[in-house]
Amino acid sequence: ARVVDVIGRHLVPGLIDGMAYHDAAHDPLYTTAGVTLTVDHGNDLARIFDARAGARLPGEGGTGARWAGPALWIAGAVFDGLPPSTNEALILRHEHDAEELLGTLLEEGIDFVSMQAGVPEPAWREMLALARAADRQVWGPLPRGISLEMALEAGVDGLLFLDALLPAGQRWDEVDPEAFAPVVERVAASGVRIVPLLSGNARLFTDPGDD
């Protein structure tokens, strides 16, 4: 075994930011914080593929020097319903839109599929089936009108926000912590991953003050 003397130094593991919208201006901040992989859940198509290509070392499919930022695992653009949550979203009005739009992103080489909560249920289910056939994971918040149990049965790979764990009809300010036990057990057994976005939830409970 090779022994490396790191006495007196800080050893930081390669951290993963599980939910971000990549901006090259943030790369030095990620590097300083020890983040080596950023999961981009939807971006400007003309920019994000170039950004990922620039993050590869020569010999790994890239064509230039590596920048100072993390590697990127990308969805290309996020899918959403009407009205979309962002101008960069690809809109799924119904299930018939799914095959053509996903096919375009697959040709570009996306790593996974990202869907927002506004995607209609028929289009959401069709996208899940198409993504599974293309060997791509599907991530996103729990869609409106879809229960956690429905999402687990449909085979979603990852969820954003802890709101998916709230028992039906419960709010964060009133829920009994013991009520989470069966939900957590069910999610753990399913193998679904969750990005908790704790700081985002924390801001919802912070009094902004008079300003």
Side-chain angles (χ1 to χ4, degrees), residues 128-186:
L128 278 170
L130 293 171
R132 188 176 299 112
D135 196 26
R136 296 296 193 279
Q137 295 183 18
V138 176
W139 285 72
L142 199 62
R144 289 190 283 272
I146 299 292
S147 68
L148 176 61
E149 188 62 34
M150 291 166 65
L152 297 182
E153 290 179 355
V156 69
D157 296 284
L159 294 168
L160 304 179
F161 300 105
L162 291 177
D163 292 353
L165 301 181
L166 269 176
Q170 296 287 303
R171 302 198 315 260
W172 284 109
D173 59 349
E174 65 180 15
V175 65
D176 183 347
E178 294 184 1
F180 288 107
V183 181
V184 170
E185 183 177 343
R186 174 72 178 93

Side-chain angles (χ1 to χ4, degrees), residues 7 42 48 50 55 61 63-65 68 83-84 90 93 102 119-120 131 136 154-155 157 163 187 194 197 199 202 204:
I7 292 175
I48 192 62
D50 288 342
T63 57
L90 297 178
R93 294 176 176 84
L102 180 59
V119 174
R136 296 296 193 279
D157 296 284
D163 292 353
V187 172
I194 296 181
L197 296 166
S199 62
L204 299 178

Side-chain angles (χ1 to χ4, degrees), residues 93-114:
R93 294 176 176 84
H94 42 68
E95 63 271 29
H96 306 299
D97 294 330
E99 185 172 3
E100 179 180 355
L101 292 177
L102 180 59
T104 299
L105 293 184
L106 290 173
E107 289 177 3
E108 295 286 352
I110 60 169
D111 300 306
F112 73 104
V113 174
S114 175

